Amino acid sequence: MSELAVGGISRAEPVRIAERGARIARQKVSDSAFRTSTFIAAVMVLVLLGGVLVSLIYGSWPALRTFGFTSFLTTEAWNPVTEKFGALAPVYGTIVTSIIAMAIGIPISLGIATFLTEFCPMWLRRPIGIAIELLAGIPSIIYGIWGLFVFAPFLQRNVQPFFIELFHGVPVLNNLFAGPPYGIGIFTAGLVLAIMVLPFITAITRDVYLTVPPVLKEAAYGIGCTSREVVRKVVLPYSRVGVIGGVMLGLGRALGETMAVTFVIGNAHRITPSLFAPGTTISASIANEFTEAEGELYTSSLIALGLILFIITFIVLAAARYMLMRIERRVG
């Protein structure tokens, strides 16, 4: 025999044990290196986030020291000649355009996702899905050019005069839809943003809807529920966490969008009750004026606008995360 047994154990057995031990040791080293690399990657995210915040605070400090954070946030005036700066008009434009975009984009996105997953014929699902993905891949500057040269003239000729005439003399609404039809303005920017966030919310909602177990829907149909009731009482409750996440992703895109909004909002540092009037947003103001900013105070005021946008985005995302945690805790 090539292998002699000593005490019931072959001579090759210690060799196998040693090889197995060496392999386990190598696996431990590999796992430790992998764990360390992932930890470093996670820490790098926090370091980059902290670095951005520190840079914004440092760059905006001259403006905040001169005007005060509260005064800067609540002042509408923006005059580079007299070096009087306030962030109220850009903040107002950012919030209003985002609200318009989400008010229009969310229902349409949920409707498209519901149609694709519940009612759409199989042969039509792929073309519509590809079209949605193509919309998400279009650069924002293309949306801006299209909005300025195609969409804004259409609104100026057909949509805005209709709303001005329709709500003439109606309290509140007559101020909300007042003024000459410029074509460009806050309302136009909100519509363009709605088109831009629509593919993101739709794609995420569709993918989340597809995770709903078919047995749950079949059971609902089996007890006599209609399609609308299945979507409302089964699909949406099961996938609401993912849907809210998609909505928050779209809202983040709407808050920070720059070039498309810059083309169609009118870039006017003033607040008017009419949605048809020109306005501005934080990102549009920075994009328009940063290359022309002369003097420390002017540049610092633009950086302060970036800091405010950072804070607004952080608050929105933190609120969304808190809401998701409450939903998960309630569901159990």
Side-chain angles (χ1 to χ4, degrees), residues 84-103:
K84 300 294 183 182
F85 301 103
L88 186 59
V91 171
Y92 169 82
T94 300
I95 294 175
V96 172
T97 53
S98 299
I99 291 174
I100 294 173
M102 303 312 292

Side-chain angles (χ1 to χ4, degrees), residues 34-52:
F34 179 73
R35 188 183 305 110
T36 303
S37 62
T38 55
F39 175 76
I40 292 174
V43 171
M44 283 182 60
V45 174
L46 298 178
V47 171
L48 290 174
L49 186 64
V52 170

Side-chain angles (χ1 to χ4, degrees), residues 136-194:
I138 297 176
S140 60
I141 194 170
I142 303 301
Y143 280 107
I145 294 173
W146 170 78
L148 179 62
F149 293 105
V150 178
F151 196 47
F154 171 79
L155 293 177
Q156 184 182 24
R157 291 191 304 266
N158 302 291
V159 177
Q160 292 183 352
F162 170 77
F163 279 107
I164 293 173
E165 181 65 25
L166 178 65
F167 296 117
H168 179 70
V170 180
V172 181
L173 293 179
N174 64 334
N175 292 325
L176 205 58
F177 299 95
Y182 295 108
I184 60 175
I186 292 178
F187 183 73
T188 305
L191 291 178
V192 173
L193 283 177

Side-chain angles (χ1 to χ4, degrees), residues 209-265:
Y209 280 178
L210 291 175
T211 64
V212 179
V215 66
L216 295 180
K217 296 188 285 186
E218 292 170 0
Y221 284 121
I223 62 176
C225 291
T226 63
S227 298
R228 180 179 61 84
E229 290 172 333
V230 169
V231 172
R232 184 168 60 89
K233 297 182 178 181
V234 177
V235 177
L236 275 176
Y238 186 89
S239 58
R240 55 189 168 189
V241 174
V243 172
I244 294 175
V247 170
M248 291 301 109
L249 178 63
L251 179 57
R253 174 71 187 272
L255 287 171
E257 178 54 42
T258 303
M259 294 310 302
V261 174
T262 303
F263 272 86
V264 299
I265 199 169

